Amino acid sequence: MDFLMSGLAACGACLFTNPLEVVKTRMQLQGELQAPGSYQRHYRNVFHAFITIGKVDGLAALQKGLAPALLYQFLMNGIRLGTYGLIEAGGYLRTAEGGLSPARSAAAGALAGVMGAYLGSPIYMVKTHLQAQAASEIAVGHQYKHQIFPPQSWKVALAAAMVSGIAVVLAMTPFDVASTRLYNQPTDAQGKGLMYRGILDALLQTARTEGIFGMYKGIGASYFRLGPHTILSLFFWDQLRTLYYTYTK
């Protein structure tokens, strides 16, 4: 659970910070190995870069490389924070007297960080290539022409559903947990719930008793259900609509 929660938390943040990552990548590649003043500055500062990218490449370009960025954040932070959490839970950070050892904590943090960075590095490279892609008039650095999925591929829809599903499950899982418990609680002879008075009471009781993680129980199952469910719903809807119009003409 430590790995999952750490990875999903980082993905949630990445959804909002990826445009800044795109701007950062392009500004760092601008003027690569060229003397100051000898090249055209397409991006004068952060705000100018946002405006320029949005105007020339389109607003969607500010989220370039989002798929590998999310995968990178999930993998790197899941491994980094999850590994450190497991080491801490195992009691390896404490001395024989029970006190916290700064040296062990630093070593564990370094080990977890190296593991996360090493395993996430190939994905970070793909992310950088995609974020650097730009229209010729504002292109900086080497322009790789990667294409993750062919146009009109079902994989595009599936990937989009899985990416958007991160934000959905982070926002909705606490309410899903509360509704599941409300439906499943025992009732008296009049059908009144014996454990919760309503959804707010269910949320408050869960948070007080089980902590914040208790409100996110089943988040992994919710996430991996949501993406396929969305794309399959759209697929069957499209097929049924096609059959309907075919046989009713």
Side-chain angles (χ1 to χ4, degrees), residues 172-186 195-196 198-199 202-203 206 214-215 217-219 222 225:
M172 295 302 298
T173 296
F175 300 99
D176 194 24
V177 170
S179 67
T180 298
R181 294 184 175 190
L182 283 168
Y183 281 125
N184 194 59
Q185 70 175 324
M195 297 178 67
Y196 311 107
I199 188 167
L203 288 169
T206 300
M215 300 173 68
K217 285 185 175 180
I219 191 173
S222 295
R225 180 199 69 86

Side-chain angles (χ1 to χ4, degrees), residues 12-154:
C14 181
L15 285 170
F16 299 96
T17 60
N18 190 61
L20 286 166
E21 186 75 11
V22 172
V23 169
K24 182 210 73 158
T25 297
R26 296 197 184 185
M27 293 188 74
Q28 288 177 339
L29 291 173
Q30 184 171 240
E32 184 177 9
L33 297 181
Q34 299 180 61
S38 65
Y39 59 89
Q40 182 180 358
R41 292 183 62 194
H42 300 298
Y43 314 108
R44 293 194 295 270
N45 52 55
V46 174
F47 302 106
H48 181 256
F50 267 105
I51 295 171
T52 302
I53 294 171
K55 185 183 296 183
V56 178
D57 284 342
L59 291 177
L62 290 168
Q63 285 289 16
K64 279 196 170 184
L66 180 60
L70 289 170
L71 182 58
Y72 171 76
Q73 290 293 336
F74 185 87
L75 184 64
M76 184 193 70
N77 287 288
I79 292 173
R80 184 176 62 178
L81 300 178
T83 300
Y84 187 87
L86 289 176
I87 295 173
E88 183 180 29
Y92 298 109
L93 304 183
R94 300 195 173 274
T95 62
E97 294 76 25
L100 186 66
S101 169
R104 292 184 182 182
S105 296
L111 175 63
V114 167
M115 287 177 59
Y118 179 78
L119 294 174
S121 182
I123 304 169
Y124 193 93
M125 182 182 71
V126 174
K127 175 192 74 71
T128 301
H129 289 180
L130 292 173
Q131 290 175 339
Q133 287 181 357
S136 57
E137 58 265 37
I138 60 169
V140 292
H142 185 75
Q143 294 292 291
Y144 287 92
K145 298 300 180 183
H146 295 305
Q147 189 176 49
I148 299 179
F149 303 124
Q152 307 302 319
S153 171
W154 63 269

Side-chain angles (χ1 to χ4, degrees), residues 1-10 74 78 82 216 218-221 223-224:
M1 182 56 73
D2 285 337
F3 289 90
L4 179 63
M5 294 301 299
S6 301
L8 287 176
F74 185 87
Y216 281 93
I219 191 173
Y223 173 70
F224 288 110

